[in-house]
Amino acid sequence: MNNPNSAIPEEATPAVWRRYEEWRGRRHQEFNSKYSHWLVSWRTRRTFRRLVLLQAFFSTLLVISSVFAFLNTGWFLIPFAVGLVGLLTTLSLLRIVTGSIADTPVTALDEIQVAQRNSARAIGFVVLYSLMFIPYAVLIVLSFRDEVPGQWVYGCAILLITLVVAAISVPTMLIAWWMADPDPEDLDAMRKPSAIDDHPTITDNQESAP
């Protein structure tokens, strides 16, 4: 049976790709089972958007510091490292509070989540290839010079890496920005221990009791 959430017919999907999708689905379930009880109080629309704004700040800091890489190899590394660590940390927090929807295969999501994921990824792709024109334009301009300082080539490489890192975080940011406040019952379920812990352990004496 064809997957209704996949545009690729099942008979045209290689077996290795299906196994890869199944592996990604298992990883998503393991991720959610591990972190579903983390940061429960953060799972509100206000916190989602605050994290997105913080992510945008670190992305901006990263881009600005990478521009200064064209001028100096050393001192730009301090704000660059701060922006990179902040971006990766905030991205990890966003993945936890959103359930990592942007990185999940369609087989592990419901219809609404699939629609959000596909829209966020489509926008992220547009942002990615649009940003790629910036370092390409810089390289074209530099190509008109007879001699190009090595510092400029280094700066262009840093800028290229920075724009890629910033762009790949866009889908997760969009998913978090679109998410509404979760149902209070869902939040209560996240705070509760597992079903095994809800029931007392039956001892041997209790088993033998009439």
Side-chain angles (χ1 to χ4, degrees):
M1 180 182 296
N2 290 336
N3 184 355
N5 295 321
S6 176
I8 306 175
E10 186 174 357
E11 62 273 9
T13 306
V16 63
W17 179 259
R18 290 197 295 268
R19 289 195 295 270
Y20 173 68
E21 289 290 287
E22 292 173 358
W23 173 77
R24 290 181 61 210
R26 289 194 299 271
R27 284 201 61 186
H28 171 71
Q29 294 175 353
E30 293 172 357
F31 180 88
N32 279 343
S33 62
K34 181 178 180 180
Y35 296 108
S36 60
H37 303 296
W38 288 37
L39 306 175
V40 176
S41 61
W42 289 29
R43 304 187 187 222
T44 63
R45 189 171 194 177
R46 175 179 296 181
T47 305
F48 294 154
R49 296 195 168 185
R50 285 179 176 176
L51 287 174
V52 171
L53 294 176
L54 184 61
Q55 178 86 344
F57 167 76
F58 285 124
S59 298
T60 304
L61 178 62
L62 199 64
V63 173
I64 293 175
S65 62
S66 66
V67 172
F68 285 100
F70 285 87
L71 306 176
N72 185 277
T73 307
W75 66 267
F76 90 95
L77 288 173
I78 297 177
F80 183 85
V82 172
L84 182 60
V85 172
L87 185 148
L88 295 178
T89 301
T90 310
L91 182 61
S92 299
L93 294 174
L94 282 173
R95 292 183 69 240
I96 291 174
V97 297
T98 61
S100 189
I101 294 176
D103 304 318
T104 305
V106 295
T107 54
L109 301 175
D110 58 32
E111 294 181 358
I112 297 178
Q113 291 173 333
V114 169
Q116 290 180 332
R117 168 191 177 272
N118 292 344
S119 298
R121 285 192 167 190
I123 297 174
F125 177 72
V126 172
V127 172
L128 176 62
Y129 79 69
S130 299
L131 291 178
M132 289 303 97
F133 283 103
I134 298 175
Y136 296 158
V138 174
L139 290 173
I140 291 173
V141 173
L142 293 179
S143 67
F144 290 103
R145 298 175 59 93
D146 293 333
E147 295 183 2
V148 177
Q151 184 67 44
W152 293 3
V153 179
Y154 175 81
C156 191
I158 294 296
L159 179 61
L160 179 60
I161 294 172
T162 298
L163 294 178
V164 171
V165 172
I168 62 176
S169 64
V170 169
T172 301
M173 294 172 66
L174 291 175
I175 291 291
W177 190 266
W178 294 338
M179 292 187 73
D181 289 323
D183 193 315
E185 295 181 357
D186 294 337
L187 291 180
D188 291 338
M190 293 178 187
R191 294 188 180 97
K192 289 181 179 179
S194 61
I196 297 176
D197 298 332
D198 290 339
H199 299 283
T201 303
I202 299 177
T203 62
D204 294 337
N205 294 334
Q206 289 174 325
E207 290 179 350
S208 59

